[in-house]
Amino acid sequence: DEASADVQPGGLYYYTRNKSTLVAFAVGKQYRPGAGFKIIGGHTDSPNLKVKPRSKRSAKSAKSIQVGVECYGGGLWHTWFDRDLSLSGRVFCRKQDGSIEQRLIKIDRAVLRIPNLAIHLQTAEERKAFKINKEDHLSPILAMSAQKALTGKDTEKDDESDNGEKAENGDSDKNDGWTEHQEPLLLQLLASELDIPIQDIVDFELNLFDLQTASLGGVHSEFVHSARLDNLASCYLAVQALIDCVGQEDYLNQDRDISMIILYDHEEVGSSSAIGAAGPVTKEAVKRISAVMNAKEGTVAPYDLYEATIRKSFILSSDQAHALHPNYASKHEKNHQPQMNGGMVIKRNSNQRYATNGVTGVLIREIAHRASLPPVQEFIV
């Protein structure tokens, strides 16, 4: 990802932004200045609960130790109750030389849970309509203050003792403006998973996720039961498509364009961030790669070559579509009801909330026809 990167015809490349947006591309060996880009776009994020910047929620006297979380995206938050939840994300750690490194983390055991209120404590009205106060009802439990009864050790006192010892050695400052606002048991868990001292943790970005693994369902195993299909399914297919293309005999030898996938972050919150689809990622990628590839062309102005590249390029926005729910059929327009396992879906919106227009819709249907795929389905909203 250097400004002077040596991009050559026939080459395969990738880079990331914020470690959450991925750009990968292959340059056809027949590439000529002004040629186009063939791009598949997807998004890597899904609605979830994120740990707040100040994770400590429980008072010292509390019997249940909870973690502060906030909602990311438009989730069906009632489905997060009574699930085995864990943590993933990245932790910023201070190295011995004083520099900061990012460490990815994924804990594969249940460490958090958001319990429902027992039915005996709910009124008839509350049972009729399950309403959630996001601030009060979605706070997951990390532990109970039963540590002493179970093990003979008092976690809180042990933590205070450790912190005092570390402070005397000059290794830690409990009132550094960040540490004192974090749940000590959470920091302890992260340090244990990463095998580093607690005082080396300087920040984190953590997401909650459901530990239940994906499975096939239905009597004929025709359904995929999984979290985060929106939109990791499209991300997987985009990556696999690029791998399959460059793996075909003579594909790169005959290709005149640049084949690219861009998997963006922050689609679930509007795509308007620096690493979202509405940010500069796509334009930067096309512009920088074009500049490198067109540098030896001296007969045409670079700006004109870039404009020619834009006109010859095509980006396919690939995401999930809403299939007909048999229990809520009225939620679909009666003539636009995509069926599960019925094939690809073109999504349209007359107010331009989707990228499809008449030309691009015809193009996708023609591609499907030539590939002998089932007739393309239509969805409007």
Side-chain angles (χ1 to χ4, degrees), residues 194-325:
L194 295 174
D195 194 24
I196 60 173
I198 294 177
Q199 64 267 27
D200 285 357
I201 299 175
V202 297
D203 210 340
F204 52 67
E205 290 179 353
L206 297 173
N207 313 284
L208 276 64
F209 71 95
D210 183 2
L211 272 174
Q212 183 174 338
T213 58
S215 64
L216 295 178
V219 69
H220 303 298
S221 296
E222 63 263 54
F223 303 121
V224 177
H225 297 162
S226 176
R228 297 173 294 280
L229 287 173
D230 178 12
N231 183 32
L232 294 186
S234 294
C235 291
Y236 168 78
L237 291 172
V239 171
Q240 194 61 51
L242 185 60
I243 292 173
D244 290 346
C245 279
V246 299
Q248 292 178 18
E249 186 177 0
D250 288 335
Y251 176 83
L252 284 180
N253 291 334
Q254 299 176 7
D255 193 20
R256 299 179 179 181
D257 300 311
I258 293 177
S259 301
M260 173 180 284
I261 62 171
I262 307 180
L263 310 180
Y264 306 92
D265 198 357
H266 296 155
E267 189 273 348
E268 299 292 350
V269 290
S271 297
S272 58
S273 71
I275 52 175
V281 175
T282 307
K283 184 176 181 180
E284 284 181 353
V286 174
K287 197 167 188 177
R288 290 182 61 193
I289 296 168
S290 297
V292 174
M293 297 300 297
N294 300 342
K296 296 180 181 180
E297 178 60 57
T299 59
V300 182
Y303 178 80
D304 290 336
L305 283 174
Y306 175 70
E307 290 297 308
T309 292
I310 295 298
R311 297 293 176 266
K312 295 176 183 177
S313 298
F314 187 91
I315 181 167
L316 174 67
S317 176
S318 179
D319 206 337
Q320 302 293 287
H322 298 88
L324 178 69
H325 192 312

Side-chain angles (χ1 to χ4, degrees), residues 296-365:
K296 296 180 181 180
E297 178 60 57
T299 59
V300 182
Y303 178 80
D304 290 336
L305 283 174
Y306 175 70
E307 290 297 308
T309 292
I310 295 298
R311 297 293 176 266
K312 295 176 183 177
S313 298
F314 187 91
I315 181 167
L316 174 67
S317 176
S318 179
D319 206 337
Q320 302 293 287
H322 298 88
L324 178 69
H325 192 312
N327 296 341
Y328 300 90
S330 62
K331 294 295 184 179
H332 280 70
E333 200 279 333
K334 64 179 181 179
N335 293 321
H336 300 80
Q337 299 183 342
Q339 300 294 320
M340 295 284 286
N341 292 322
M344 281 199 308
V345 179
I346 295 178
K347 300 165 76 171
R348 300 178 190 263
N349 179 263
S350 60
N351 294 314
Q352 302 303 299
R353 299 306 298 166
Y354 293 132
T356 311
N357 59 29
V359 174
T360 59
V362 169
L363 180 59
I364 295 302
R365 286 207 306 273

